[in-house]
Amino acid sequence: MSMKEPKTTISVQELIAEKSNRGLLALIEKIMPKLLFLIAAVSVLTTIGILFTLIVETGIFFSRVPIIEFITGREWYPFANSTPTYGILPLVVGTLKITGIAILVAVPIGIATAIYLSEYASRRVRKIIKPILEVLAGVPTIVYGFFALTFVTPILRSMFPEISIFNAISPGIVVGIMITPMIASLSEDAMNSVPNSMRDGAYALGSTKLEVALKIVLPAAISGIVASTVLAISRAIGETMIVAVAAGSTPRFDADLTGSIQTMTAYIVQVATGDAGYGTTIYYSIYAVGFTLFLFTLVMNMLAQYISKRFREEY
Amino acid sequence: MNYINHEQVAAKTKSRLIKNNILKGLFLAATMFGLIVLAILLFRIVTQGSEYLSFDFFTRFASRIPENSGIKSAFLGSIYLMLVVAPVSMFLGVGTAIYLEEYAKKNKMTDFIRINISNLAGVPSVVFGLLGLTIFVRYFGLGISILAAGLTMSLLILPVIIVASQEAIRAVPGELREASFAMGATKWQTILRVVLPTAIPGVLTGSILALSRAIGETAPLVVIGIPTILMFTPNSLLSTFTALPMQIFDWTKRPQVAFHDVAAAGIIVLMTLLIIMNSIAVFIRNKYQKRF
């Protein structure tokens, strides 16, 4: 080397310090992956905790109420003094009413929004609208509940006087508004991943934008669109505060939408805000209802994953 | 001989173009629907709630009289709740993301953890409330406390933070890691001094957005059973408390219409908090996020 000798002299102490430092480093290298694995295990423990909670407490519930009555019973009167009945079907029907209305609102609007953003809108318009949709998706559900009760319900009642203050239609519509951004944004992602060469081919044959959107892009992106709808259904089933505020607390096994109903989630809220003591059958019933709710959403989520994996077209 | 009947083609093309324009209008209308709903919602809430919104609204406790109602305990409760949720959920979320992106081997265990996280993200928040009530409130004996609610909320938003952190870590180019290794750095040194500093804007943006979800979340708090009318402010992690969305829920449920206006005032405060948090997230994303 033509450069000057390095100024520093080698000190034995420093070398020893460095070596022991190395030992510490090596120890950290060994420990960190294990520590991080333990942290990652928390998410698995959470799932185990949820399953454990639901299964154990639901088990206690079923030691008091026959499981057949719970699954097939058409009457849900847990607060009855003499003979309380625990048939979950009225709560399931209530949940399905809300979910059905929400899907009727959200699927057309959500997919139409996705088509507009992905096929028609300029980049500038998209840049403005997408963040606003994100805001709409971020509005807390209690705020939507307030909106349903104090704005949508009065409007509906002024148009159709037979609708009561608590009904299935108003919260159903508002749950639909809540899940619309989710369908729009996931469907748009699916449409965006359709390659432009397919669009260009159709344009070259003289197609209009509409024909390209409906006959080329929509079929190519259908797995993503269906998956987004299934996920949205799962969200609507699990939605709690909107229905707790605006749908009422009358479990009913019928098809009426204008009167007060009760969903699975709203029942859990009703018991939690009431004064049912720890250890009563009513207390354990919220776990049985929660377990049912959990199974519904789990099936929907797995279905969405299956659809987007199984039917995805790779380009 | 004329193979193309131009009149026929023109007529067909015209009807197809008209159809295109009509549908385009419908698609645009659907897109505007969401924006209009948001505008109406915000307008309604501001006009309803502004009457009750004042400085005193922040310094008063809840009351049976609408005019005397305030959000002191609820506002502080929400802030304290975030002071638990932010460190816990970020520690767990970022740690999990580092493990999955940097250390995890491609095996069944890793696949299981990944699938588990995506399924956890789909569990309704009310079910997380049941988890919190049973595990944290009862088994751990934390009672109806800030800590119990904070841990529940942390687990609720954990999947969101994990996914956001994973994306941020994945966006750090491999060249940076290789350069660090070439300088003699160990793996953990590389993660701590190269990967994390580069990924931190993305991690923070995702985490703040997740926290803004937690601050508006009501259902788990309801299930845990936190009270709504509280005449004191919490003084420790184990003291009972109330939170903004809980207070808004209570006011909304009341039959007196005046309380609906008080609820609207509470919603204005909650939404302002959300907008501030979202703005910070967007600011961090635009200012510090590097693109490679």
Side-chain angles (χ1 to χ4, degrees), chain B residues 157-199:
Chain B
I157 62 169
L158 186 58
V160 186
I161 296 190
I162 292 174
V163 171
S165 306
Q166 273 184 291
E167 275 170 17
I169 291 172
R170 216 176 295 146
V172 177
E175 289 93 329
L176 288 187
R177 292 184 185 85
E178 282 156 22
S180 171
F181 290 141
M183 301 296 286
T186 62
K187 184 155 189 173
W188 177 244
Q189 282 176 324
T190 304
I191 291 171
L192 201 62
R193 297 182 196 167
V194 176
V195 176
L196 274 185
T198 319

mmCIF file of all heavy atoms in Angstrom, chain B residues 157-199:
data_model
loop_
_atom_site.group_PDB
_atom_site.id
_atom_site.type_symbol
_atom_site.label_atom_id
_atom_site.label_comp_id
_atom_site.label_asym_id
_atom_site.label_seq_id
_atom_site.Cartn_x
_atom_site.Cartn_y
_atom_site.Cartn_z
ATOM 1 N N ILE B 157 -57.169 -4.495 15.752
ATOM 2 C CA ILE B 157 -56.534 -3.813 14.606
ATOM 3 C C ILE B 157 -55.204 -4.454 14.238
ATOM 4 O O ILE B 157 -54.565 -4.034 13.271
ATOM 5 C CB ILE B 157 -56.344 -2.303 14.863
ATOM 6 C CG1 ILE B 157 -55.423 -2.058 16.048
ATOM 7 C CG2 ILE B 157 -57.672 -1.617 15.047
ATOM 8 C CD1 ILE B 157 -55.015 -0.593 16.158
ATOM 9 N N LEU B 158 -54.792 -5.479 14.984
ATOM 10 C CA LEU B 158 -53.503 -6.132 14.712
ATOM 11 C C LEU B 158 -53.350 -6.585 13.253
ATOM 12 O O LEU B 158 -52.324 -6.283 12.623
ATOM 13 C CB LEU B 158 -53.304 -7.297 15.688
ATOM 14 C CG LEU B 158 -51.957 -8.001 15.657
ATOM 15 C CD1 LEU B 158 -50.844 -7.028 15.936
ATOM 16 C CD2 LEU B 158 -51.924 -9.138 16.689
ATOM 17 N N PRO B 159 -54.347 -7.278 12.672
ATOM 18 C CA PRO B 159 -54.175 -7.728 11.276
ATOM 19 C C PRO B 159 -53.912 -6.574 10.313
ATOM 20 O O PRO B 159 -53.092 -6.695 9.403
ATOM 21 C CB PRO B 159 -55.517 -8.404 10.956
ATOM 22 C CG PRO B 159 -56.095 -8.775 12.265
ATOM 23 C CD PRO B 159 -55.627 -7.740 13.239
ATOM 24 N N VAL B 160 -54.593 -5.437 10.532
ATOM 25 C CA VAL B 160 -54.413 -4.293 9.633
ATOM 26 C C VAL B 160 -52.977 -3.787 9.705
ATOM 27 O O VAL B 160 -52.333 -3.518 8.687
ATOM 28 C CB VAL B 160 -55.392 -3.153 10.017
ATOM 29 C CG1 VAL B 160 -55.296 -2.031 8.997
ATOM 30 C CG2 VAL B 160 -56.806 -3.670 10.121
ATOM 31 N N ILE B 161 -52.445 -3.672 10.941
ATOM 32 C CA ILE B 161 -51.083 -3.162 11.109
ATOM 33 C C ILE B 161 -50.075 -4.155 10.546
ATOM 34 O O ILE B 161 -49.097 -3.760 9.909
ATOM 35 C CB ILE B 161 -50.812 -2.865 12.595
ATOM 36 C CG1 ILE B 161 -51.737 -1.741 13.055
ATOM 37 C CG2 ILE B 161 -49.350 -2.500 12.819
ATOM 38 C CD1 ILE B 161 -51.435 -1.181 14.399
ATOM 39 N N ILE B 162 -50.314 -5.455 10.754
ATOM 40 C CA ILE B 162 -49.383 -6.461 10.223
ATOM 41 C C ILE B 162 -49.301 -6.339 8.698
ATOM 42 O O ILE B 162 -48.205 -6.260 8.131
ATOM 43 C CB ILE B 162 -49.833 -7.890 10.610
ATOM 44 C CG1 ILE B 162 -49.705 -8.112 12.116
ATOM 45 C CG2 ILE B 162 -48.991 -8.930 9.862
ATOM 46 C CD1 ILE B 162 -50.268 -9.436 12.588
ATOM 47 N N VAL B 163 -50.460 -6.285 8.036
ATOM 48 C CA VAL B 163 -50.466 -6.252 6.569
ATOM 49 C C VAL B 163 -49.792 -4.983 6.050
ATOM 50 O O VAL B 163 -48.960 -5.028 5.136
ATOM 51 C CB VAL B 163 -51.915 -6.375 6.041
ATOM 52 C CG1 VAL B 163 -51.957 -6.128 4.541
ATOM 53 C CG2 VAL B 163 -52.472 -7.752 6.355
ATOM 54 N N ALA B 164 -50.110 -3.831 6.678
ATOM 55 C CA ALA B 164 -49.489 -2.571 6.240
ATOM 56 C C ALA B 164 -47.974 -2.607 6.440
ATOM 57 O O ALA B 164 -47.213 -2.186 5.557
ATOM 58 C CB ALA B 164 -50.098 -1.404 7.007
ATOM 59 N N SER B 165 -47.527 -3.137 7.592
ATOM 60 C CA SER B 165 -46.089 -3.195 7.865
ATOM 61 C C SER B 165 -45.399 -4.161 6.914
ATOM 62 O O SER B 165 -44.280 -3.900 6.455
ATOM 63 C CB SER B 165 -45.841 -3.629 9.313
ATOM 64 O OG SER B 165 -46.546 -2.800 10.203
ATOM 65 N N GLN B 166 -46.071 -5.285 6.623
ATOM 66 C CA GLN B 166 -45.493 -6.251 5.678
ATOM 67 C C GLN B 166 -45.244 -5.585 4.324
ATOM 68 O O GLN B 166 -44.185 -5.752 3.727
ATOM 69 C CB GLN B 166 -46.444 -7.429 5.481
ATOM 70 C CG GLN B 166 -46.259 -8.547 6.495
ATOM 71 C CD GLN B 166 -47.179 -9.701 6.171
ATOM 72 O OE1 GLN B 166 -48.392 -9.588 6.304
ATOM 73 N NE2 GLN B 166 -46.620 -10.806 5.729
ATOM 74 N N GLU B 167 -46.249 -4.808 3.857
ATOM 75 C CA GLU B 167 -46.101 -4.150 2.564
ATOM 76 C C GLU B 167 -44.938 -3.163 2.594
ATOM 77 O O GLU B 167 -44.156 -3.077 1.650
ATOM 78 C CB GLU B 167 -47.396 -3.433 2.181
ATOM 79 C CG GLU B 167 -48.377 -4.364 1.506
ATOM 80 C CD GLU B 167 -49.749 -3.736 1.341
ATOM 81 O OE1 GLU B 167 -49.856 -2.498 1.455
ATOM 82 O OE2 GLU B 167 -50.706 -4.481 1.108
ATOM 83 N N ALA B 168 -44.838 -2.416 3.699
ATOM 84 C CA ALA B 168 -43.763 -1.421 3.804
ATOM 85 C C ALA B 168 -42.401 -2.102 3.809
ATOM 86 O O ALA B 168 -41.454 -1.637 3.173
ATOM 87 C CB ALA B 168 -43.957 -0.584 5.065
ATOM 88 N N ILE B 169 -42.287 -3.228 4.534
ATOM 89 C CA ILE B 169 -41.001 -3.920 4.617
ATOM 90 C C ILE B 169 -40.647 -4.555 3.277
ATOM 91 O O ILE B 169 -39.504 -4.541 2.837
ATOM 92 C CB ILE B 169 -41.042 -4.979 5.741
ATOM 93 C CG1 ILE B 169 -41.098 -4.284 7.104
ATOM 94 C CG2 ILE B 169 -39.838 -5.905 5.675
ATOM 95 C CD1 ILE B 169 -41.343 -5.206 8.267
ATOM 96 N N ARG B 170 -41.684 -5.084 2.597
ATOM 97 C CA ARG B 170 -41.450 -5.721 1.304
ATOM 98 C C ARG B 170 -40.981 -4.707 0.266
ATOM 99 O O ARG B 170 -40.266 -5.053 -0.677
ATOM 100 C CB ARG B 170 -42.748 -6.389 0.833
ATOM 101 C CG ARG B 170 -42.528 -7.693 0.098
ATOM 102 C CD ARG B 170 -43.844 -8.344 -0.238
ATOM 103 N NE ARG B 170 -44.594 -8.763 0.933
ATOM 104 C CZ ARG B 170 -45.931 -8.745 1.015
ATOM 105 N NH1 ARG B 170 -46.655 -8.321 0.011
ATOM 106 N NH2 ARG B 170 -46.529 -9.159 2.115
ATOM 107 N N ALA B 171 -41.381 -3.432 0.440
ATOM 108 C CA ALA B 171 -41.020 -2.411 -0.543
ATOM 109 C C ALA B 171 -39.566 -1.971 -0.406
ATOM 110 O O ALA B 171 -39.054 -1.248 -1.260
ATOM 111 C CB ALA B 171 -41.952 -1.206 -0.404
ATOM 112 N N VAL B 172 -38.893 -2.373 0.689
ATOM 113 C CA VAL B 172 -37.471 -2.024 0.838
ATOM 114 C C VAL B 172 -36.671 -2.917 -0.108
ATOM 115 O O VAL B 172 -36.744 -4.136 -0.009
ATOM 116 C CB VAL B 172 -37.009 -2.249 2.295
ATOM 117 C CG1 VAL B 172 -35.520 -1.951 2.428
ATOM 118 C CG2 VAL B 172 -37.827 -1.396 3.243
ATOM 119 N N PRO B 173 -35.915 -2.299 -1.043
ATOM 120 C CA PRO B 173 -35.235 -3.120 -2.047
ATOM 121 C C PRO B 173 -34.143 -4.015 -1.461
ATOM 122 O O PRO B 173 -33.479 -3.636 -0.490
ATOM 123 C CB PRO B 173 -34.621 -2.089 -2.997
ATOM 124 C CG PRO B 173 -34.755 -0.778 -2.359
ATOM 125 C CD PRO B 173 -35.681 -0.869 -1.218
ATOM 126 N N GLY B 174 -33.969 -5.180 -2.057
ATOM 127 C CA GLY B 174 -32.986 -6.134 -1.567
ATOM 128 C C GLY B 174 -31.564 -5.604 -1.631
ATOM 129 O O GLY B 174 -30.714 -5.990 -0.820
ATOM 130 N N GLU B 175 -31.293 -4.672 -2.576
ATOM 131 C CA GLU B 175 -29.942 -4.119 -2.699
ATOM 132 C C GLU B 175 -29.496 -3.462 -1.405
ATOM 133 O O GLU B 175 -28.327 -3.550 -1.019
ATOM 134 C CB GLU B 175 -29.876 -3.081 -3.825
ATOM 135 C CG GLU B 175 -29.979 -3.652 -5.216
ATOM 136 C CD GLU B 175 -31.410 -3.652 -5.709
ATOM 137 O OE1 GLU B 175 -32.331 -3.783 -4.862
ATOM 138 O OE2 GLU B 175 -31.623 -3.534 -6.929
ATOM 139 N N LEU B 176 -30.437 -2.777 -0.725
ATOM 140 C CA LEU B 176 -30.073 -2.109 0.528
ATOM 141 C C LEU B 176 -29.612 -3.129 1.552
ATOM 142 O O LEU B 176 -28.624 -2.926 2.259
ATOM 143 C CB LEU B 176 -31.270 -1.325 1.081
ATOM 144 C CG LEU B 176 -31.656 -0.045 0.339
ATOM 145 C CD1 LEU B 176 -32.735 0.704 1.106
ATOM 146 C CD2 LEU B 176 -30.438 0.851 0.173
ATOM 147 N N ARG B 177 -30.342 -4.250 1.632
ATOM 148 C CA ARG B 177 -29.957 -5.293 2.583
ATOM 149 C C ARG B 177 -28.589 -5.861 2.207
ATOM 150 O O ARG B 177 -27.714 -6.023 3.050
ATOM 151 C CB ARG B 177 -30.990 -6.414 2.583
ATOM 152 C CG ARG B 177 -32.334 -6.018 3.151
ATOM 153 C CD ARG B 177 -33.257 -7.228 3.206
ATOM 154 N NE ARG B 177 -34.589 -6.853 3.637
ATOM 155 C CZ ARG B 177 -35.524 -6.395 2.819
ATOM 156 N NH1 ARG B 177 -35.266 -6.239 1.535
ATOM 157 N NH2 ARG B 177 -36.717 -6.060 3.286
ATOM 158 N N GLU B 178 -28.406 -6.133 0.908
ATOM 159 C CA GLU B 178 -27.140 -6.721 0.470
ATOM 160 C C GLU B 178 -25.974 -5.785 0.745
ATOM 161 O O GLU B 178 -24.901 -6.224 1.184
ATOM 162 C CB GLU B 178 -27.225 -7.053 -1.024
ATOM 163 C CG GLU B 178 -28.016 -8.322 -1.283
ATOM 164 C CD GLU B 178 -28.592 -8.370 -2.680
ATOM 165 O OE1 GLU B 178 -28.069 -7.667 -3.561
ATOM 166 O OE2 GLU B 178 -29.586 -9.103 -2.866
ATOM 167 N N ALA B 179 -26.183 -4.481 0.514
ATOM 168 C CA ALA B 179 -25.128 -3.512 0.788
ATOM 169 C C ALA B 179 -24.756 -3.550 2.271
ATOM 170 O O ALA B 179 -23.582 -3.506 2.643
ATOM 171 C CB ALA B 179 -25.595 -2.114 0.396
ATOM 172 N N SER B 180 -25.786 -3.654 3.108
ATOM 173 C CA SER B 180 -25.541 -3.690 4.547
ATOM 174 C C SER B 180 -24.776 -4.952 4.931
ATOM 175 O O SER B 180 -23.811 -4.890 5.705
ATOM 176 C CB SER B 180 -26.877 -3.617 5.283
ATOM 177 O OG SER B 180 -26.692 -3.862 6.646
ATOM 178 N N PHE B 181 -25.195 -6.093 4.376
ATOM 179 C CA PHE B 181 -24.479 -7.347 4.672
ATOM 180 C C PHE B 181 -23.026 -7.239 4.201
ATOM 181 O O PHE B 181 -22.105 -7.697 4.876
ATOM 182 C CB PHE B 181 -25.151 -8.532 3.963
ATOM 183 C CG PHE B 181 -26.494 -8.886 4.549
ATOM 184 C CD1 PHE B 181 -27.549 -9.264 3.723
ATOM 185 C CD2 PHE B 181 -26.692 -8.849 5.925
ATOM 186 C CE1 PHE B 181 -28.780 -9.586 4.265
ATOM 187 C CE2 PHE B 181 -27.931 -9.172 6.459
ATOM 188 C CZ PHE B 181 -28.973 -9.540 5.631
ATOM 189 N N ALA B 182 -22.824 -6.608 3.045
ATOM 190 C CA ALA B 182 -21.481 -6.500 2.491
ATOM 191 C C ALA B 182 -20.569 -5.675 3.383
ATOM 192 O O ALA B 182 -19.353 -5.846 3.389
ATOM 193 C CB ALA B 182 -21.540 -5.876 1.095
ATOM 194 N N MET B 183 -21.158 -4.773 4.150
ATOM 195 C CA MET B 183 -20.370 -3.986 5.091
ATOM 196 C C MET B 183 -20.098 -4.755 6.368
ATOM 197 O O MET B 183 -19.511 -4.222 7.305
ATOM 198 C CB MET B 183 -21.099 -2.683 5.457
ATOM 199 C CG MET B 183 -21.415 -1.785 4.290
ATOM 200 S SD MET B 183 -19.930 -1.190 3.499
ATOM 201 C CE MET B 183 -19.394 0.003 4.700
ATOM 202 N N GLY B 184 -20.547 -5.967 6.455
ATOM 203 C CA GLY B 184 -20.274 -6.792 7.621
ATOM 204 C C GLY B 184 -21.354 -6.744 8.679
ATOM 205 O O GLY B 184 -21.168 -7.264 9.781
ATOM 206 N N ALA B 185 -22.476 -6.121 8.371
ATOM 207 C CA ALA B 185 -23.547 -6.058 9.365
ATOM 208 C C ALA B 185 -24.222 -7.422 9.497
ATOM 209 O O ALA B 185 -24.280 -8.191 8.533
ATOM 210 C CB ALA B 185 -24.570 -5.013 8.960
ATOM 211 N N THR B 186 -24.691 -7.696 10.698
ATOM 212 C CA THR B 186 -25.440 -8.931 10.894
ATOM 213 C C THR B 186 -26.869 -8.715 10.422
ATOM 214 O O THR B 186 -27.266 -7.596 10.074
ATOM 215 C CB THR B 186 -25.464 -9.333 12.372
ATOM 216 O OG1 THR B 186 -26.129 -8.296 13.091
ATOM 217 C CG2 THR B 186 -24.068 -9.502 12.916
ATOM 218 N N LYS B 187 -27.645 -9.799 10.419
ATOM 219 C CA LYS B 187 -29.016 -9.716 9.925
ATOM 220 C C LYS B 187 -29.844 -8.741 10.768
ATOM 221 O O LYS B 187 -30.561 -7.892 10.237
ATOM 222 C CB LYS B 187 -29.652 -11.105 9.940
ATOM 223 C CG LYS B 187 -31.036 -11.097 9.339
ATOM 224 C CD LYS B 187 -31.412 -12.439 8.797
ATOM 225 C CE LYS B 187 -32.705 -12.328 8.005
ATOM 226 N NZ LYS B 187 -33.068 -13.526 7.312
ATOM 227 N N TRP B 188 -29.768 -8.902 12.098
ATOM 228 C CA TRP B 188 -30.576 -8.040 12.961
ATOM 229 C C TRP B 188 -30.143 -6.589 12.846
ATOM 230 O O TRP B 188 -30.972 -5.680 12.831
ATOM 231 C CB TRP B 188 -30.512 -8.530 14.408
ATOM 232 C CG TRP B 188 -31.268 -7.645 15.339
ATOM 233 C CD1 TRP B 188 -30.782 -6.888 16.364
ATOM 234 C CD2 TRP B 188 -32.692 -7.385 15.322
ATOM 235 N NE1 TRP B 188 -31.775 -6.189 16.961
ATOM 236 C CE2 TRP B 188 -32.961 -6.473 16.352
ATOM 237 C CE3 TRP B 188 -33.737 -7.838 14.519
ATOM 238 C CZ2 TRP B 188 -34.247 -6.007 16.614
ATOM 239 C CZ3 TRP B 188 -35.027 -7.369 14.776
ATOM 240 C CH2 TRP B 188 -35.252 -6.476 15.815
ATOM 241 N N GLN B 189 -28.796 -6.351 12.750
ATOM 242 C CA GLN B 189 -28.318 -4.979 12.558
ATOM 243 C C GLN B 189 -28.898 -4.398 11.272
ATOM 244 O O GLN B 189 -29.307 -3.237 11.230
ATOM 245 C CB GLN B 189 -26.784 -4.964 12.485
ATOM 246 C CG GLN B 189 -26.122 -5.078 13.842
ATOM 247 C CD GLN B 189 -24.611 -5.162 13.731
ATOM 248 O OE1 GLN B 189 -24.089 -5.778 12.798
ATOM 249 N NE2 GLN B 189 -23.920 -4.554 14.678
ATOM 250 N N THR B 190 -28.929 -5.212 10.231
ATOM 251 C CA THR B 190 -29.473 -4.749 8.958
ATOM 252 C C THR B 190 -30.953 -4.391 9.095
ATOM 253 O O THR B 190 -31.399 -3.338 8.634
ATOM 254 C CB THR B 190 -29.308 -5.850 7.889
ATOM 255 O OG1 THR B 190 -27.930 -6.196 7.818
ATOM 256 C CG2 THR B 190 -29.800 -5.382 6.545
ATOM 257 N N ILE B 191 -31.696 -5.261 9.784
ATOM 258 C CA ILE B 191 -33.130 -4.986 9.961
ATOM 259 C C ILE B 191 -33.323 -3.704 10.748
ATOM 260 O O ILE B 191 -34.107 -2.831 10.386
ATOM 261 C CB ILE B 191 -33.808 -6.179 10.673
ATOM 262 C CG1 ILE B 191 -33.826 -7.387 9.737
ATOM 263 C CG2 ILE B 191 -35.212 -5.819 11.107
ATOM 264 C CD1 ILE B 191 -34.264 -8.657 10.424
ATOM 265 N N LEU B 192 -32.567 -3.587 11.853
ATOM 266 C CA LEU B 192 -32.771 -2.470 12.774
ATOM 267 C C LEU B 192 -32.317 -1.150 12.166
ATOM 268 O O LEU B 192 -32.938 -0.113 12.387
ATOM 269 C CB LEU B 192 -32.001 -2.750 14.070
ATOM 270 C CG LEU B 192 -32.467 -1.985 15.305
ATOM 271 C CD1 LEU B 192 -33.894 -2.346 15.633
ATOM 272 C CD2 LEU B 192 -31.564 -2.312 16.484
ATOM 273 N N ARG B 193 -31.197 -1.177 11.403
ATOM 274 C CA ARG B 193 -30.613 0.095 10.966
ATOM 275 C C ARG B 193 -30.842 0.400 9.501
ATOM 276 O O ARG B 193 -30.645 1.527 9.070
ATOM 277 C CB ARG B 193 -29.112 0.086 11.237
ATOM 278 C CG ARG B 193 -28.829 -0.024 12.718
ATOM 279 C CD ARG B 193 -27.368 0.011 12.998
ATOM 280 N NE ARG B 193 -27.096 -0.464 14.349
ATOM 281 C CZ ARG B 193 -25.890 -0.770 14.773
ATOM 282 N NH1 ARG B 193 -24.856 -0.674 13.954
ATOM 283 N NH2 ARG B 193 -25.707 -1.177 16.015
ATOM 284 N N VAL B 194 -31.255 -0.581 8.719
ATOM 285 C CA VAL B 194 -31.470 -0.316 7.291
ATOM 286 C C VAL B 194 -32.936 -0.526 6.908
ATOM 287 O O VAL B 194 -33.593 0.379 6.409
ATOM 288 C CB VAL B 194 -30.564 -1.209 6.412
ATOM 289 C CG1 VAL B 194 -30.870 -0.982 4.939
ATOM 290 C CG2 VAL B 194 -29.111 -0.923 6.712
ATOM 291 N N VAL B 195 -33.452 -1.725 7.194
ATOM 292 C CA VAL B 195 -34.807 -2.048 6.726
ATOM 293 C C VAL B 195 -35.862 -1.203 7.445
ATOM 294 O O VAL B 195 -36.681 -0.536 6.803
ATOM 295 C CB VAL B 195 -35.100 -3.553 6.918
ATOM 296 C CG1 VAL B 195 -36.524 -3.866 6.522
ATOM 297 C CG2 VAL B 195 -34.124 -4.381 6.102
ATOM 298 N N LEU B 196 -35.806 -1.205 8.791
ATOM 299 C CA LEU B 196 -36.857 -0.485 9.533
ATOM 300 C C LEU B 196 -36.857 1.019 9.263
ATOM 301 O O LEU B 196 -37.922 1.588 9.023
ATOM 302 C CB LEU B 196 -36.737 -0.773 11.032
ATOM 303 C CG LEU B 196 -37.457 -2.033 11.500
ATOM 304 C CD1 LEU B 196 -37.381 -2.159 13.016
ATOM 305 C CD2 LEU B 196 -38.899 -2.055 11.045
ATOM 306 N N PRO B 197 -35.701 1.703 9.308
ATOM 307 C CA PRO B 197 -35.728 3.148 9.014
ATOM 308 C C PRO B 197 -36.303 3.444 7.632
ATOM 309 O O PRO B 197 -37.000 4.435 7.451
ATOM 310 C CB PRO B 197 -34.263 3.557 9.092
ATOM 311 C CG PRO B 197 -33.639 2.551 9.976
ATOM 312 C CD PRO B 197 -34.361 1.263 9.711
ATOM 313 N N THR B 198 -36.036 2.574 6.659
ATOM 314 C CA THR B 198 -36.573 2.805 5.320
ATOM 315 C C THR B 198 -38.069 2.541 5.280
ATOM 316 O O THR B 198 -38.813 3.202 4.552
ATOM 317 C CB THR B 198 -35.872 1.890 4.288
ATOM 318 O OG1 THR B 198 -34.480 1.848 4.606
ATOM 319 C CG2 THR B 198 -36.056 2.402 2.888
ATOM 320 N N ALA B 199 -38.509 1.559 6.069
ATOM 321 C CA ALA B 199 -39.918 1.153 6.003
ATOM 322 C C ALA B 199 -40.801 1.976 6.929
ATOM 323 O O ALA B 199 -42.026 1.904 6.825
ATOM 324 C CB ALA B 199 -40.046 -0.331 6.344
#
